[in-house]
Amino acid sequence: MPTPLRPAARLAPALVALVLGATLLPAAPAAARPAGDTLFPQQGNSGYQVRSYDVAMDYQPLTNRADATVQVRASARRTLDSFHLDFSGPRVTEVLVDGVAARHRRTGAHELVVTPDEPVRRGRFTVSVSWRGVPPEHTDADGSTEGWVRTADGAIALGEPVGAMTWLPSNNTPGDKARFHYEITVPTGYEVVANGDLVGREETAASTTWEWDARDPMATYLAMVAIGQFDVHESETTSIDGRTLPIWSFTDVTTGDAAKARAALPEIIAFGERLYGPYPFTSAGLVVDDARVGYALETQTRAFYPPGAATTSTVVHEVAHQWVGNAVTLTDWHDIWLAEGFAAYTEWLYDAEHGGPRPGERFQALYDRPASDDLWSPAPTRFTDPADLFGQPVYVRGAMTLHALRREVGDRDFFAVLRAWTTRHHDANVRTADLVRLAERVSGEELSGLFRDWLVHDGKPRGY
Ligand SMILES: [Zn+2]
């Protein structure tokens, strides 16, 4: 998600225990770490790991009502008498566990507690959740909107950080990536776009079923479904490793066709491949929809842009995320800089190759800002308020962190680190400590002090 579109509301830091430093500061007590995410401890469930989500949905654009069944294939880590899914969506009509009806109840803001007659044994199981109604939007701590977002002619599902639970009963934490498959039926004359590859479209006079398959593991926050009336643009490009990549772009019929951004996509993908290695997924594209949410989002394979937002720098940012954030995914939201700092620095590198300032000049101009500037606090991994998740330090100080690393280890080692990062952790989850270790191994230098200066200590880092 790019900075300029997202309002970064600032609230007074809450006095809550910070455990993030544990990733960098070995002295922090392990017992202080909650079982779940450190920023959203109520999200996600540790008793199982999801393998795939199969979403079957009938949707009515005029009323925004849907009738859906989501089949979740998972692996239990231990015997489960009952288990939770994150879900804040409409009325649940049925829950099946391995094909047998199970008791279920809603608790808290977004827990669906499922209790099968027989406990789920360790190993694979399937839970199928049916729901019916109008899925809600979700308002974030910074005031922005996500979840099932209504548009003039349908809706778009946008999930960063937690909005997927408005329509997808899920283990809603980036640490649990899974395959996604969608079969969505709409009145004929409407289009459906989602993540992955378009693998089927069955049309009758009354309705059309669109089938999308995202076979590469994906975090729930990157899931996207857009339904409405779109112009559909199909093309292809060739990846650096010789694969033909289909490009499906869907642009709302009322917003313009984003022709410049669509034309630039192959070159921007090629730029990303030179930095990070082969494009990590099987298809690409973009979605422009009339959701007035104030941000673009790197939804996997096919980023979303509100009207007018698909500028070159924003497209570079969202395409960069396909490697950094989507294929290589943070485990804990406090490590969001691993997505945003990298994507922002990719913009710096792209700009420098296209007549813009050199990264060193940008770094210096930012570093010259006074110590009182908002850029310096909270440090990128030290925020305590979810409203700071998409704040300036995460993006800009995050990008500066990478440039400080580059100056320390030199260009050759720095670009080797970038490439090794995306190669080694492809389709996996990471923490900041993984990057520190990798950079130290590649460079042979002790770098924990540099990363602490830039990521952990509030205030302007001294001596750079
Ligand atoms: Zn971003």
Side-chain angles (χ1 to χ4, degrees), residues 1-3 160 296-298 317-318 321 339-341 343-344 347 390 395:
M1 196 179 307
T3 315
E160 190 177 19
L297 191 61
E298 64 271 25
H317 181 105
E318 309 306 347
H321 272 312
E340 301 305 351
E347 290 181 64
F390 303 107
Y395 288 76

Side-chain angles (χ1 to χ4, degrees), residues 36 43 58-59 82 91-92 98 108 124 131 137 151 196 212 235 265 272 301 303 404 448:
Q43 298 283 345
D58 280 301
Y59 179 75
S82 71
R91 187 168 66 89
V92 173
D98 290 329
R124 295 188 183 189
W131 58 260
E137 295 186 3
T151 59
W212 291 88
S235 62
L265 260 185
T301 63
S448 62

Side-chain angles (χ1 to χ4, degrees), residues 201-283:
R201 186 172 61 179
E202 284 203 22
E203 184 172 332
T204 69
S207 66
T208 303
T209 298
W210 295 72
E211 188 178 353
W212 291 88
D213 187 44
R215 75 188 76 161
D216 295 299
M218 179 166 81
T220 52
Y221 82 86
L222 298 167
M224 177 272 300
V225 177
I227 304 170
Q229 291 178 315
F230 292 94
D231 292 319
V232 181
H233 314 270
E234 294 188 53
S235 62
E236 60 185 41
T237 189
T238 304
S239 70
I240 205 170
D241 55 356
R243 290 170 298 145
T244 298
L245 297 174
I247 299 178
W248 286 287
S249 291
F250 284 55
T251 54
D252 189 292
V253 294
T254 67
T255 59
D257 63 1
K260 189 162 169 254
R262 287 188 293 108
L265 260 185
E267 189 263 325
I268 293 171
I269 290 170
F271 179 81
E273 290 191 310
R274 288 198 298 278
L275 272 182
Y276 296 118
Y279 181 78
F281 305 123
T282 52
S283 63

Side-chain angles (χ1 to χ4, degrees), residues 90-243:
R91 187 168 66 89
V92 173
T93 55
E94 184 177 57
V95 176
L96 306 177
V97 175
D98 290 329
V100 178
R103 279 169 290 151
H104 54 91
R105 64 188 166 89
R106 312 286 287 267
T107 65
H110 56 77
E111 297 292 335
L112 172 63
V113 184
V114 177
T115 308
D117 282 347
E118 297 289 325
V120 170
R121 304 282 167 212
R122 188 165 174 271
R124 295 188 183 189
F125 71 103
T126 300
V127 52
S128 168
V129 178
S130 297
W131 58 260
R132 187 180 300 146
V134 177
E137 295 186 3
H138 178 88
T139 303
D140 289 314
D142 65 3
S144 61
T145 298
E146 51 162 324
W148 193 265
V149 178
R150 184 71 161 135
T151 59
D153 55 359
I156 182 167
L158 299 169
E160 190 177 19
V162 298
M165 66 181 176
T166 58
W167 61 279
L168 185 78
S170 54
N171 193 22
N172 196 23
T173 174
D176 190 359
K177 304 209 287 186
R179 288 181 61 152
F180 279 68
H181 185 90
Y182 307 89
E183 275 188 51
I184 296 179
T185 301
V186 291
T188 293
Y190 287 83
E191 283 76 35
V192 179
V193 57
N195 314 94
D197 303 348
L198 179 59
V199 292
R201 186 172 61 179
E202 284 203 22
E203 184 172 332
T204 69
S207 66
T208 303
T209 298
W210 295 72
E211 188 178 353
W212 291 88
D213 187 44
R215 75 188 76 161
D216 295 299
M218 179 166 81
T220 52
Y221 82 86
L222 298 167
M224 177 272 300
V225 177
I227 304 170
Q229 291 178 315
F230 292 94
D231 292 319
V232 181
H233 314 270
E234 294 188 53
S235 62
E236 60 185 41
T237 189
T238 304
S239 70
I240 205 170
D241 55 356
R243 290 170 298 145

Side-chain angles (χ1 to χ4, degrees), residues 298-353:
E298 64 271 25
T299 44
Q300 192 149 310
T301 63
R302 202 156 286 110
F304 153 76
Y305 305 87
T311 60
T312 299
S313 63
T314 302
V315 174
V316 169
H317 181 105
E318 309 306 347
V319 168
H321 272 312
Q322 303 308 317
W323 288 267
V324 285
N326 298 9
V328 180
T329 306
L330 50 108
T331 306
D332 187 284
W333 283 110
H334 266 116
D335 281 329
I336 184 69
W337 88 276
L338 289 172
E340 301 305 351
F342 276 72
Y345 194 65
T346 309
E347 290 181 64
W348 292 19
L349 296 172
Y350 185 92
D351 285 354
E353 265 199 22

